[in-house]
Amino acid sequence: MNQLETLNADHNLLKKVPALPRKKLRSIDISHNHIEGEIGHPVVVIPPCAQTVNLSNNKITGLSKSFGFELLAKLRELNLDDNQITQLPEEVKHLKKLICIKLKRNKLVTGSIPKQLLEDTLVNRIELEGNEVDLKCLSNLSGYDAFMARRKLRIDSTISAGISVVDKD
């Protein structure tokens, strides 16, 4: 189990996820299960080496401080789509490598997105479709301009990566 790099446990009847192997596990998919409520230790324990975590399509209402934000130093993508999340905690600021957070079709409102997500992380992609988040109010949050600059850089680099220059000489 210590050599496991990918765990796909989607579409099961899991109600909690105990401690997983801590050595090499990079990708975890526990979507479409029966995990509910505010999650953190001991309901869901994510190992520090995880880079992508998919918790979509459960009944999660939030992330508790025991989620272990400060321990998830390598987490780059967090998918929480199709849950019942009403608030993100300030502790998301500890996810220093996070670049993408997916929150589609939850119960978020404009004030439930902490400015620390915009200010203190590398996030350049936030998916909020299906929530009651007012983009104008979100754009007034401290850190929004820095987030938009990171987003533009990501988009620009994607475009330039798809352009090839042919020298006709």
Side-chain angles (χ1 to χ4, degrees):
M1 276 291 269
N2 281 339
Q3 300 303 312
L4 187 67
E5 291 186 18
T6 301
L7 174 67
N8 187 339
D10 67 332
H11 289 90
N12 285 285
L13 301 174
L14 298 176
K15 292 186 178 184
K16 65 184 198 175
V17 180
L20 297 167
R22 302 177 74 81
K23 297 270 186 197
K24 293 188 176 185
L25 192 58
R26 306 280 183 263
S27 179
I28 302 166
D29 184 348
I30 46 180
S31 62
H32 298 275
N33 277 289
H34 291 199
I35 300 166
E36 57 185 52
E38 188 174 83
I39 63 166
H41 186 79
V43 177
V44 175
V45 180
I46 306 296
C49 54
Q51 294 176 7
T52 62
V53 175
N54 185 350
L55 290 162
S56 65
N57 291 284
N58 281 286
K59 295 178 184 171
I60 298 166
T61 58
L63 305 173
S64 74
K65 291 179 182 180
S66 68
F67 188 70
F69 296 97
E70 63 284 344
L71 301 175
L72 299 174
K74 295 183 179 184
L75 188 63
R76 297 178 55 79
E77 182 175 318
L78 180 58
N79 186 341
L80 295 164
D81 289 346
D82 298 297
N83 277 290
Q84 299 168 4
I85 296 172
T86 58
Q87 182 86 30
L88 285 179
E90 284 182 23
E91 285 75 17
V92 296
K93 69 183 178 189
H94 296 298
L95 301 174
K96 297 295 185 187
K97 298 254 176 140
L98 189 69
I99 56 172
C100 176
I101 186 164
K102 299 177 181 182
L103 295 157
K104 293 185 276 188
R105 294 171 299 279
N106 275 282
K107 296 182 177 182
L108 295 166
V109 296
T110 304
S112 59
I113 308 295
K115 67 180 182 176
Q116 291 84 354
L117 181 64
L118 304 174
E119 289 179 332
D120 300 331
T121 68
L122 297 175
V123 169
N124 63 38
R125 186 169 153 203
I126 303 173
E127 297 182 7
L128 294 167
E129 297 92 330
N131 288 286
E132 295 194 24
V133 176
D134 181 345
L135 185 57
K136 184 172 177 165
C137 291
L138 188 63
S139 68
N140 291 329
L141 278 179
S142 173
Y144 184 79
D145 291 338
F147 161 72
M148 289 304 287
R150 291 189 305 269
R151 183 177 179 273
K152 182 181 181 323
L153 186 62
R154 175 182 56 87
I155 292 168
D156 288 351
S157 67
T158 302
I159 291 170
S160 66
I163 297 174
S164 58
V165 177
V166 177
D167 189 2
K168 293 188 178 188
D169 291 334

